[in-house]
Amino acid sequence: MLRRGVKEMGSRMLGQMVARGMATGDRKLPPFDFKPPAYSGPSKAEVVETRKKYLNPAIFHYYPKDPLMVVDGKMQYLYDETGDRYLDLFAGIVTVSVGHAHPKVVDAGVNQMRRVMHTTTIYQHPEIAMYAKELAAKLPPHLDTIYFVNSGSEATDMAMLMARCYTGHYDLLALRNCYHGMGYNTMGVTALHTWRYPVPTVVGVKHVLNPNPYRGPFGYDDPLAASKYANDVQDTILHATSGRVAGFIAESIQGVGGTVVFPDGYLREVYQHVRNAGGVCIADEVQTGFGRMGTHFWGFECHGVSPDIVTMAKGIGNGIPLAAVATTKEIAATIAQRIHFNTYGGNPVSCAVGRATLKAIEEDGIQANALAVGNHFIEGLKALQKKHDIIGDVRGKGLMLGVELVKDRKTKEPAKEETARAHELLRDYKVLIGKGGLYGNVFRIKPPMCLSKADADYALWAIDEVLAKL
């Protein structure tokens, strides 16, 4: 039974969800017709010890007290070595878009591997050409030139190079609290101290005020918040650069930084300031692209802007190493002045998988599902916010959602320890969730986009149960 003392609106919403099957007495995941094959590999204890002995200690893992070993996956679920099933709300860090082991994606990869696995771009191959054409068709018409790479960090690095070569300027603008990769150059763009080493990084990057309506100086209740945050970009251009810049880069919704959603109109004003200063505008769609927003295929479309360069990775290949940079022919031509090459970029297998993923997004109605289930999920999270004072903010769009936990709603002191505890407890309910933000106090809910409403209801019930135990 739902506990007494639930605030009226939250109680009403949760009551409706219980009627749809989210009963507190039912601790089972929604039925799913799949049984993984029996696991016969090394034990978890052996894997943990071997990993500890041979892998770099910087490679961290969740659940340090009792690490989770995943050996199988199917659509929105993961399975451990015992066959136990878990609801995956983090999708390999926002990477599995259409579902684990999606049959069409798997078949495309296997079929290509049977023919040829690697050729490099020095030879012609149909997959890279056809995929570039199909991917460009999903973008605004002016973004018709694609360069395939292998990771979001590589894509950001190339976007930085293109911006500087094309404009002839050097300074780049980025947001505080942003994450754009962990390469040596891209670490200099990232603005979270938890992801930056105490070494010199790339110069010429200016970090502007983060347009965070929850924690920033201009909040949800400020109708001029977008302009006030955008004014800081203009002020930075005038006081911290020569007055001319190479470009501006931003995630359409900040991911690692805690699912931060910008005020409406912010990017439109910033893009104008940047272009007036001779710069290009770069949209980082590594996490927000490929239908995850629900209402739009790309995150930048939600802001009503048209970038000059788009970086993409993660969901582009449903888990295979694949990324891309899309831009105009004029900007792309600037890096042809020297020899540029990427050994694995545009690999036939990666491109075959990318094409199959793009096709599955369309055929499976993934974007529409992200909208419907995402709206259902955020509605339920807001109901929980009315019930649990520890929930300071619920935000996001489609199936890219964030829940920020705080010790006190007035001071907004981050509930870091409580978030870590809840993260562990949710695993006991067979729910795997991400966490992020500078203070590690934000639940990151970014599942495979085949998630069902029944899955969302189960997750909401589990979150409710766990928060009640804190």
Side-chain angles (χ1 to χ4, degrees):
M1 297 292 294
L2 291 174
R3 300 197 319 271
R4 293 181 180 178
V6 177
K7 297 179 182 178
E8 184 178 353
M9 291 182 68
S11 178
R12 188 183 305 118
M13 179 62 66
L14 290 170
Q16 292 170 354
M17 290 181 174
V18 167
R20 290 194 293 266
M22 201 176 96
T24 40
D26 179 12
R27 294 178 178 267
K28 294 182 180 180
L29 289 164
F32 189 66
D33 187 18
F34 175 77
K35 183 177 180 180
Y39 175 72
S40 59
S43 69
K44 182 169 76 172
E46 182 181 351
V47 170
V48 169
E49 187 59 32
T50 303
R51 173 171 168 151
K52 182 178 179 181
K53 183 176 181 180
Y54 292 105
L55 287 183
N56 190 299
I59 304 173
F60 69 92
H61 58 81
Y62 278 172
Y63 315 111
K65 294 180 182 179
D66 181 21
L68 176 66
M69 185 163 81
V70 173
V71 298
D72 283 286
K74 189 66 176 177
M75 303 309 285
Q76 65 269 43
Y77 298 108
L78 291 172
Y79 299 82
D80 67 15
E81 75 283 4
T82 71
D84 278 357
R85 177 165 58 109
Y86 298 82
L87 178 59
D88 182 12
L89 294 185
F90 205 24
I93 314 183
V94 209
T95 299
V96 178
S97 49
V98 298
H100 294 283
H102 190 291
K104 296 176 184 176
V105 177
V106 172
D107 287 348
V110 170
N111 290 339
Q112 182 56 53
M113 282 190 283
R114 287 196 176 108
R115 302 201 65 169
V116 62
M117 289 180 62
H118 182 67
T119 59
T120 80
T121 51
I122 62 174
Y123 304 114
Q124 298 293 323
H125 191 277
E127 290 295 337
I128 187 173
M130 295 301 103
Y131 185 33
K133 178 183 178 180
E134 292 160 5
L135 188 56
K138 302 298 295 183
L139 290 154
H142 68 289
L143 300 175
D144 59 358
T145 306
I146 313 293
Y147 196 123
F148 290 109
V149 290
N150 309 286
S151 69
S153 293
E154 285 187 20
T156 300
D157 188 80
M158 171 164 283
M160 293 167 63
L161 175 64
M162 286 179 170
R164 285 170 167 163
C165 286
Y166 178 71
T167 64
H169 308 310
Y170 192 73
D171 285 328
L172 286 162
L173 304 175
L175 300 176
R176 297 174 196 171
N177 198 60
C178 72
Y179 180 90
H180 294 290
M182 281 297 290
Y184 193 75
N185 281 335
T186 55
M187 185 172 61
V189 182
T190 293
L192 293 155
H193 81 271
T194 46
W195 295 89
R196 292 180 63 137
Y197 289 89
V199 297
T201 56
V202 61
V203 297
V205 177
K206 316 296 182 185
H207 288 103
V208 300
L209 194 61
N210 184 37
N212 185 339
Y214 181 66
R215 288 197 171 272
F218 314 117
Y220 290 120
D221 59 348
D222 188 341
L224 300 178
S227 294
K228 291 177 179 178
Y229 283 117
N231 286 343
D232 183 66
V233 175
Q234 176 69 351
D235 188 69
T236 301
I237 292 172
L238 294 177
H239 292 90
T241 77
S242 67
R244 308 295 286 173
V245 299
F248 166 84
I249 184 170
E251 303 155 271
S252 297
I253 293 178
Q254 288 183 335
V256 173
T259 318
V260 176
V261 181
F262 311 145
D264 289 342
Y266 170 75
L267 283 183
R268 286 196 298 272
E269 293 193 35
V270 170
Y271 274 31
Q272 189 61 52
H273 291 322
V274 171
R275 285 170 173 155
N276 287 343
V280 297
C281 298
I282 306 167
D284 182 331
E285 292 288 332
V286 170
Q287 295 192 29
T288 52
F290 296 91
R292 186 164 289 278
M293 297 294 93
T295 55
H296 299 83
F297 197 82
W298 304 107
F300 64 79
E301 294 175 308
C302 302
H303 295 277
V305 296
S306 186
D308 305 294
I309 303 174
V310 176
T311 60
M312 57 194 84
K314 291 188 178 284
I316 189 176
N318 201 49
I320 202 165
L322 176 63
V325 181
T327 189
T328 67
K329 292 194 184 312
E330 294 77 17
I331 294 175
T334 60
I335 62 167
Q337 62 185 286
R338 296 289 188 275
I339 297 174
H340 198 284
F341 180 73
N342 188 300
T343 299
Y344 296 105
N347 174 278
V349 177
S350 296
C351 286
V353 168
R355 293 184 72 191
T357 299
L358 200 60
K359 189 175 183 180
I361 290 171
E362 297 295 335
E363 293 181 347
D364 295 359
I366 289 295
Q367 183 177 328
N369 190 68
L371 177 61
V373 178
N375 285 344
H376 179 77
F377 212 145
I378 199 167
E379 187 180 12
L381 291 170
K382 287 180 177 178
L384 290 179
Q385 185 181 18
K386 292 179 173 64
K387 180 179 180 182
H388 299 281
D389 288 342
I390 194 172
I391 299 179
D393 196 30
V394 173
R395 53 188 182 249
K397 191 171 178 62
L399 282 175
M400 187 166 180
L401 306 176
V403 180
E404 182 156 357
L405 304 186
V406 294
K407 294 179 183 291
D408 184 282
R409 286 188 176 180
K410 290 184 178 179
T411 66
K412 300 179 183 178
E413 180 183 353
K416 184 174 181 179
E417 296 79 12
E418 292 85 348
T419 306
R421 174 65 176 153
H423 184 262
E424 291 277 351
L425 288 174
L426 280 168
R427 175 188 170 180
D428 296 338
Y429 287 82
K430 307 303 181 185
V431 175
L432 306 180
I433 201 167
K435 56 188 176 77
L438 179 63
Y439 307 106
N441 69 315
V442 180
F443 283 153
R444 298 175 64 193
I445 299 173
K446 295 145 188 191
M449 293 182 283
C450 54
L451 192 82
S452 70
K453 287 185 178 180
D455 294 319
D457 284 344
Y458 178 84
L460 288 163
W461 165 74
I463 293 170
D464 183 31
E465 290 282 306
V466 165
L467 293 183
K469 295 179 179 181
L470 297 180

